[in-house]
Amino acid sequence: MRPSSLNPLFASAQTLSGIGPRLILLLKKCLELPPGVAEPRVIDMLWHMPTGVIDRRAEPQLAAAVPGTIVTLQLRVLKHKPPPRGNKKVPYKVTCEDDTGRIDLVFFHAERKFIEKQLPVGELRFVSGRIERYGEALQMAHPDYIVSPEARDELPMLEPVYPLTAGLSGKIVVKATRQAIDRIPDLPEWQDERWLAARNWPPFKEALSRVHHPTDAQDVSNGAGPWQRLAYDELLAGQLAFALVRQNLKAERGRRLAGDGSIQAKIVDALPFSLTTSQKTALGEIAEDLAAPHRMLRLLQGDVGSGKTVVALMAMAVAIEAGAQAALMAPTEVLARQHAETIAPLAEAAGLGIGLLTGREKGKTRDAILERLLSGEIQILIGTHALFQSDVQFKDLAVAVIDEQHRFGVHQRLALQAKGANNDTNVLVMTATPIPRTLLMTHYGDLDVSKLTEKPAGRKPITTKAIPLELLERLIDRIRTQLAEGAQIYWVCPLIETSELSDLAAAEERFAHLRQTFGDGVGLLHGGLSGKEKDETMAAFAEGQLKILVATTVIEVGVNVPNANIMVIEHAERFGLAQLHQLRGRVGRGSRESFCMLLYKAPLGETAEQRLKMMEETEDGFKIAEKDLELRGGGEILGARQSGAPGFRVAEVPGYENLLAAASDDAALVLANDPNLNSPRGKALRTLLYVFECDEAVRLFRAA
Ligand code: ADP
Ligand code: MG
């Protein structure tokens, strides 16, 4: 349990004065919340980092003020000049002075009462904002701050600037974060004192205070001490959490899962191909992990089409040979069903019971599946994140395979692991995204990796061409010829409905157009369809009744229709490299010559042009991933930003590689000397883990 001293930080942000039900909704819109957190909390205000600072420290007299700059003035209010009645176009002006000159404060669409109250004639006021010259006179339109001498402290001389949303002002955020800082209790120092001293980093609370309440314009910079300190805290918490998970895995006297090979042999016999050397090597590594007395946590990396599914099935077969069960989890329903269909004939040949569980299995059907699962009749359960639900109980889950892992977070992985009777489920995660080492470390810690480096035999290269939308008719002519030769075509569009983004090719519109041109053989697949409709459409395409499948990116991940040989991607300039590569991987799986046509809208931006060129030049997923990292930065490659997976709030990778490496070493060293975090620093580090919400990790050593 989280120490109660931290409770004030984890209370709803509504407990801060000034934040009510309306503002909480706006905050929810603009704060980045961790997965599963429905309402912004006090601590989320603290992690809402400023992007810059407004410097109000110039306090000139009027005669010396430089027009166009931000200044703070000490003024006496002389007179009010309201606009003539009924004339809304004329602004309300208030003339003020100091010993050296005069200035008009100007308000458009002003509320008279409000201004009279703020600027009583004859009084002194501190006023801050941008000063301008208007003809001969000086003026300031809508000052940012007007405060009385008693309230002088409320005027931030260095004002942090925050990401905001309509209706949420910077002032509100400043006020809320100030209160949030006051709520930080006295916490033990969890960093090594010498390390802090060597870098001149402030204590935790001071670091947050200086970022949100800067005393130096430098403070709000991610290269400065306060920010670096917080980034290091976050990275260390992450590395420590992963190290704890690993330590726990290793220490656990897991069971040895040794198969006799009988089921694997039946599956191999039923395959219409033989395994590649890469697949065999990966399987060997997996079998070794499973046979060892610790839990497996392994990542299987392989480009799209490299044949990861078969490897997964064989890994699951080992569990079943050892008398246990296995689960395969996919990120989307379409993909889960596809896996089930691929696996079904092989499972039948090997005499295995399989089941499918997604959000669509409900009521009696679902109950029946759960019953067969608990009795052990279902040996392999395939599904979506529906597998996480607490009433899904296995008789004896020994191997869990997670496909396209980057869409799931650590939390979910731990939840699945816990489905095993003794919390001893072996986990294999599969991804088509080649993840650079530094990113692997930040998101998964130090896990074992197997790679599928070769493509199955018989794959033909895919010819990729970028063509401007103006040449659409020519493309359609070519497609007509191809269709006559038996081709099948994916046609991907970025959005489903023409809305305010009406310049985006809408799948529905394209569908109507292609149907007019090519007739009934054109189908449409998008996220708005019911599950059943999706299945039917997908099946019709797989069976060849549909020749052209117009789709939104629902087909992005993993769909396998070997006969499809042309991929058209419309508005290709709007897709990221990783996504384009994934999409292209849907073709080139059969014996037919394959094409990928990247339709773009000219003119192309520079980055988009580089992306499309890269696609034309290579099919090598690793090269593409490197380029992608170069063009976009790390978080997006992992899909972490889009999916709300465990992203970072202070530390950004790339950018903090050195700190990350240090944090990783630090975590290893700490645990080597103090595996249960019982030393004074160890105890302080537990607090750090709670501050960064790595509660699962803390649970692991509490159990130990
Ligand atoms: P991915 O790694 O993208 O998940 P899949 O597992 O879907 O790839 O495999 C893609 C296609 O390659 C499937 O049709 C599968 O049957 C086929 N395949 C897998 N392994 C081999 C192999 N060793 N030889 C030939 N085809 C294979
Ligand atoms: Mg796949």
Side-chain angles (χ1 to χ4, degrees):
M1 279 268 282
R2 184 160 57 214
S4 58
S5 65
L6 292 176
N7 286 349
L9 294 181
F10 288 91
S12 161
Q14 291 209 54
T15 59
L16 299 169
S17 91
I19 306 291
R22 188 181 66 85
L23 284 177
I24 202 88
L25 291 178
L26 297 177
L27 283 174
K28 189 172 170 179
K29 254 195 192 165
C30 90
L31 299 190
E32 251 179 71
L33 299 181
V37 173
E39 181 171 302
R41 302 151 306 171
V42 173
I43 193 152
D44 300 311
M45 295 301 318
L46 294 174
W47 298 137
H48 192 49
M49 304 295 273
T51 52
V53 69
I54 300 174
D55 191 341
R56 306 189 180 281
R57 287 175 302 179
E59 296 186 79
Q61 296 218 292
L62 282 171
V66 182
T69 62
I70 303 267
V71 292
T72 299
L73 304 168
Q74 184 176 353
L75 301 171
R76 199 164 30 252
V77 182
L78 276 184
K79 68 170 182 264
H80 283 232
K81 292 186 281 191
R85 264 190 194 287
N87 190 342
K88 291 237 158 119
K89 286 206 183 114
V90 178
Y92 192 121
K93 291 188 180 182
V94 180
T95 307
C96 302
E97 66 170 7
D98 69 7
D99 294 341
T100 65
R102 288 191 174 187
I103 185 170
D104 277 339
L105 306 182
V106 180
F107 302 87
F108 292 90
H109 306 288
E111 226 184 282
R112 180 171 183 153
K113 275 219 186 91
F114 177 73
I115 295 177
E116 280 170 353
K117 191 164 155 242
Q118 289 242 301
L119 294 160
V121 173
E123 301 277 314
L124 272 184
R125 285 293 180 264
F126 287 90
V127 176
S128 187
R130 188 176 299 278
I131 190 166
E132 314 274 5
R133 184 173 296 288
Y134 186 68
E136 284 299 288
L138 287 174
Q139 72 169 36
M140 185 185 286
H142 296 272
D144 302 327
Y145 288 89
I146 301 173
V147 300
S148 64
E150 302 80 62
R152 176 77 176 75
D153 278 353
E154 284 170 21
L155 202 168
M157 299 310 277
L158 278 170
E159 182 183 20
V161 180
Y162 293 95
L164 297 169
T165 183
L168 183 68
S169 76
K171 275 185 207 169
I172 295 169
V173 176
V174 168
K175 200 172 151 215
T177 42
R178 278 200 193 179
Q179 297 176 65
I181 286 166
D182 290 340
R183 298 239 181 133
I184 302 173
D186 278 336
L187 296 170
E189 180 53 75
W190 45 69
Q191 298 295 1
D192 183 66
E193 297 281 0
R194 276 164 310 175
W195 167 260
L196 290 181
R199 272 157 196 79
N200 204 8
W201 285 353
F204 178 72
K205 184 169 180 174
E206 187 189 327
L208 274 168
S209 170
R210 273 173 53 192
V211 165
H212 289 295
H213 192 178
T215 50
D216 180 327
Q218 267 299 307
D219 286 349
V220 184
S221 142
N222 60 8
W227 198 304
Q228 294 265 316
R229 143 111 220 194
L230 297 170
Y232 191 75
D233 283 343
E234 181 170 39
L235 291 168
L236 182 62
Q239 291 304 301
L240 206 52
F242 286 129
L244 280 163
V245 170
R246 274 207 80 68
Q247 173 180 290
N248 183 262
L249 287 180
K250 290 244 164 85
E252 195 120 25
R253 295 279 125 209
R255 61 215 275 198
R256 297 163 188 274
L257 279 184
D260 60 7
S262 58
I263 297 174
Q264 296 174 71
K266 283 186 198 155
I267 294 171
V268 168
D269 279 349
L271 286 173
F273 48 75
S274 51
L275 297 176
T276 63
T277 314
S278 275
Q279 285 171 322
K280 285 184 192 150
T281 309
L283 270 172
E285 289 162 350
I286 291 166
E288 208 171 293
D289 277 354
L290 294 176
H294 57 77
R295 252 192 281 170
M296 172 173 76
L297 180 53
R298 184 171 283 279
L299 183 71
L300 178 63
Q301 272 188 359
D303 207 351
V304 265
S306 60
K308 294 185 290 293
T309 318
V310 175
V311 176
L313 179 59
M314 299 287 278
M316 296 194 287
V318 177
I320 296 158
E321 285 168 14
Q325 288 166 300
L328 170 58
M329 188 168 62
T332 65
E333 196 175 303
V334 170
L335 194 54
R337 278 171 203 279
Q338 168 118 32
H339 277 321
E341 273 159 35
T342 311
I343 287 174
L346 299 169
E348 192 176 339
L352 302 180
I354 68 169
L356 177 66
L357 187 68
T358 70
R360 266 169 64 200
E361 278 67 44
K362 292 198 183 92
K364 287 216 174 87
T365 319
R366 186 169 184 276
D367 292 345
I369 294 169
L370 295 186
E371 203 170 295
R372 286 169 54 219
L373 187 65
L374 196 56
S375 74
E377 193 188 320
I378 291 179
Q379 291 161 300
I380 298 180
L381 183 65
I382 301 163
T384 54
H385 53 270
L387 300 189
F388 288 133
Q389 288 155 349
S390 55
D391 61 341
V392 176
Q393 285 172 9
F394 291 80
K395 180 174 179 223
D396 181 14
L397 177 64
V399 171
V401 182
I402 307 180
D403 196 5
E404 308 294 348
Q405 155 70 14
H406 60 286
R407 292 175 183 235
F408 298 104
V410 179
H411 298 255
Q412 290 160 307
R413 211 169 59 206
L414 286 169
L416 189 66
Q417 216 158 293
K419 293 261 179 224
N422 305 308
N423 196 27
D424 61 357
T425 307
N426 295 283
V427 177
L428 177 68
V429 297
M430 308 198 290
T431 177
T433 318
I435 306 169
R437 172 110 202 110
T438 43
L439 287 180
L440 262 183
M441 276 169 55
T442 51
H443 288 259
Y444 308 113
D446 195 15
L447 82 178
D448 302 310
V449 179
S450 295
K451 284 183 184 164
L452 298 183
T453 49
E454 57 192 321
K455 295 224 166 171
R459 290 285 156 77
K460 298 238 171 86
I462 304 167
T463 309
T464 302
K465 259 197 103 43
I467 43 179
L469 201 55
E470 288 87 77
L471 299 186
L472 178 68
E473 283 310 315
R474 228 190 276 175
L475 174 64
I476 295 214
D477 284 343
R478 262 187 84 181
I479 283 178
R480 192 172 284 119
T481 322
Q482 280 281 333
L483 282 174
E485 291 168 12
Q488 272 189 287
I489 299 158
Y490 289 108
W491 192 300
V492 178
C493 304
L495 265 194
I496 46 164
E497 266 166 310
T498 330
S499 57
E500 61 268 27
L501 302 155
S502 55
D503 61 339
L504 282 174
E508 275 171 354
E509 230 166 74
R510 185 57 73 208
F511 166 68
H513 167 214
L514 291 174
R515 191 160 246 219
Q516 212 171 29
T517 316
F518 295 115
D520 285 350
V522 185
L524 175 62
L525 190 68
H526 61 76
L529 295 177
S530 76
K532 186 154 168 286
E533 289 167 322
K534 273 188 220 163
D535 285 356
E536 285 168 1
T537 310
M538 211 49 233
F541 187 62
E543 284 156 21
Q545 286 140 263
L546 289 177
K547 299 297 179 196
I548 302 182
L549 184 66
V550 181
T552 56
T553 46
V554 288
I555 64 156
E556 181 192 340
V557 199
V559 174
N560 189 27
V561 180
N563 190 53
N565 66 320
I566 300 179
M567 169 66 67
V568 180
I569 304 174
E570 218 172 310
H571 279 293
E573 78 280 3
R574 294 182 188 265
F575 290 88
L577 258 182
Q579 223 179 349
L580 290 173
H581 180 62
Q582 286 264 333
L583 285 169
R584 178 170 60 183
R586 304 299 123 222
V587 297
R589 297 181 167 216
S591 52
R592 216 177 274 282
E593 190 184 0
S594 295
F595 303 90
C596 175
M597 308 310 255
L598 304 171
L599 269 179
Y600 65 87
K601 186 152 188 252
L604 278 180
E606 196 188 318
T607 319
E609 188 173 339
Q610 283 192 50
R611 283 200 295 257
L612 299 190
K613 200 157 148 248
M614 191 73 195
M615 288 294 291
E616 287 182 330
E617 276 168 13
T618 185
E619 273 187 67
D620 183 328
F622 279 88
K623 276 196 195 144
I624 289 176
E626 260 167 39
K627 184 79 179 176
D628 200 21
L629 189 64
E630 179 194 318
L631 293 178
R632 303 206 297 179
E636 290 187 64
I637 282 210
L638 273 172
R641 301 238 162 99
Q642 297 97 307
S643 67
F648 287 94
R649 312 177 96 186
V650 187
E652 289 277 333
V653 175
Y656 285 95
E657 283 85 356
N658 293 339
L659 286 187
L660 172 63
S664 171
D665 292 347
D666 201 357
L669 200 66
V670 164
L671 288 182
N673 293 325
D674 181 15
N676 289 315
L677 297 184
N678 283 325
S679 69
R681 183 174 180 212
K683 288 197 173 121
L685 283 165
R686 293 180 182 211
T687 309
L688 170 72
L689 288 169
Y690 280 114
V691 166
F692 282 95
E693 302 177 59
C694 304
D695 300 25
E696 278 97 344
V698 190
R699 226 186 39 220
L700 288 177
F701 67 71
R702 285 173 57 89

